[in-house]
Amino acid sequence: MRPTITAFEASPDRGQGLARDMRVRWALEEVGQPYDVRLVSFAEMKQPAHRALHPFGQIPTYEEGDLVLFETGAIVLHIAERRAGLLPTDANARARAIAWMFAALNTVEPPIVELEAASLLEEDKSWHRERLPLLEQRIRVRLDVLSTRLGNSEWLDGAFSAADLLMVTVLRRLTGSDILEGYPNLSAFVARGEARPAYQRAFADQLAVFTAASRG
Ligand code: GTB
């Protein structure tokens, strides 16, 4: 059954693949699963029809037959469990990869999102500049550990998996800050992810949405 996902009709990142539909697109490309995309506006996301798919009124969603999913972690895990290519077959290795998926979303992503939110929503506050080093330090605490753990390895735990896919998309959110540059092995890890043909196809597809919209 060919799944349908939702994505921003007009992504604020101007097609740089930072919105979270990118993870789902990339996962689908990795496993060779064709899919459809339904574009939604910010207003549509908050309407009952979309909230029936996503209680929080966000993108992406995932529809496949009778199944409706939200939350990128759940969607990527679903894709990885149903189709070969994104999780090891060995039970322990699979459990470890899933642990790293949670680590990407629960441990590494939150301080990055906090910094983004501060830059977007708190720039006019008198205390904003004072708070920034604190937020950046919280990210570095996580990246120090991640960098040491990755060392010279290509991927987080053996072969490329859904854990690497999620971690790369999380670290890409630091694009534009100099934080990631302080960790050459993590920058190289992100570059390895971005060089994968499946990533490139997913990136091109989401960029095409922005390009078409800007042509009018
Ligand atoms: N935990 C959820 C998940 O992982 O699926 C979070 C989903 C989420 O945050 N969705 C965002 C959304 O729908 C889009 S990805 N926001 C609209 C709303 O809440 O009303 C977050 C995002 C948006 C834009 C950029 N950007 O432009 O760079 C980057 C990331």
Side-chain angles (χ1 to χ4, degrees):
M1 177 99 37
R2 187 177 168 111
T4 298
I5 68 166
T6 51
F8 282 138
E9 183 181 77
S11 184
D13 73 346
R14 306 176 61 82
Q16 289 314 296
L18 297 173
R20 287 184 174 93
D21 58 292
M22 180 63 199
R23 301 168 176 177
V24 176
R25 291 173 182 271
W26 185 7
L28 289 163
E29 291 289 349
E30 287 285 350
V31 301
Q33 172 63 55
Y35 61 99
D36 295 313
V37 181
R38 191 169 62 250
L39 302 176
V40 289
S41 67
F42 278 89
E44 280 165 347
M45 280 190 283
K46 306 304 172 198
Q47 296 302 312
H50 187 76
R51 281 193 193 272
L53 308 177
H54 195 310
F56 300 102
Q58 296 183 312
I59 59 100
T61 57
Y62 178 96
E63 294 158 76
E64 186 182 25
D66 293 340
L67 176 68
V68 179
L69 287 176
F70 63 102
E71 284 297 332
T72 48
I75 298 170
V76 171
L77 181 57
H78 170 77
I79 294 166
E81 281 184 327
R82 295 301 185 284
R83 299 169 182 90
L86 279 174
L87 280 175
T89 45
D90 172 76
N92 285 357
R94 198 176 178 94
R96 286 198 307 274
I98 293 171
W100 276 109
M101 292 174 72
F102 277 84
L105 303 183
N106 279 1
T107 304
V108 181
E109 188 165 48
I112 296 175
V113 171
E114 193 62 28
L115 178 67
E116 271 174 16
S119 304
L120 281 173
L121 307 171
E122 298 170 357
E123 229 167 18
D124 57 336
K125 308 286 188 236
S126 58
W127 37 261
H128 175 65
R129 294 223 141 268
E130 214 177 319
R131 187 165 180 253
L132 275 185
L134 194 144
L135 294 177
E136 290 176 2
Q137 185 51 24
R138 284 188 192 146
I139 297 175
R140 289 196 176 93
V141 165
R142 297 304 187 215
L143 298 196
D144 284 349
V145 174
L146 189 62
S147 173
T148 303
R149 177 65 188 238
L150 182 68
N152 294 322
S153 303
E154 203 176 0
W155 305 116
L156 289 167
D157 191 351
F160 176 83
S161 78
D164 300 295
L165 182 152
L166 288 179
M167 195 67 87
V168 166
T169 61
V170 164
L171 295 178
R172 281 194 81 246
R173 298 187 74 155
L174 290 169
T175 304
S177 84
D178 57 5
I179 299 177
L180 196 60
E181 286 167 23
Y183 300 88
N185 69 334
L186 295 183
S187 299
F189 170 72
V190 171
R192 272 194 295 281
E194 291 173 338
R196 292 179 71 83
Y199 175 95
Q200 305 262 322
R201 289 193 295 274
F203 186 90
D205 284 352
Q206 64 78 37
L207 179 60
V209 174
F210 172 75
T211 311
S214 42
R215 268 199 229 106

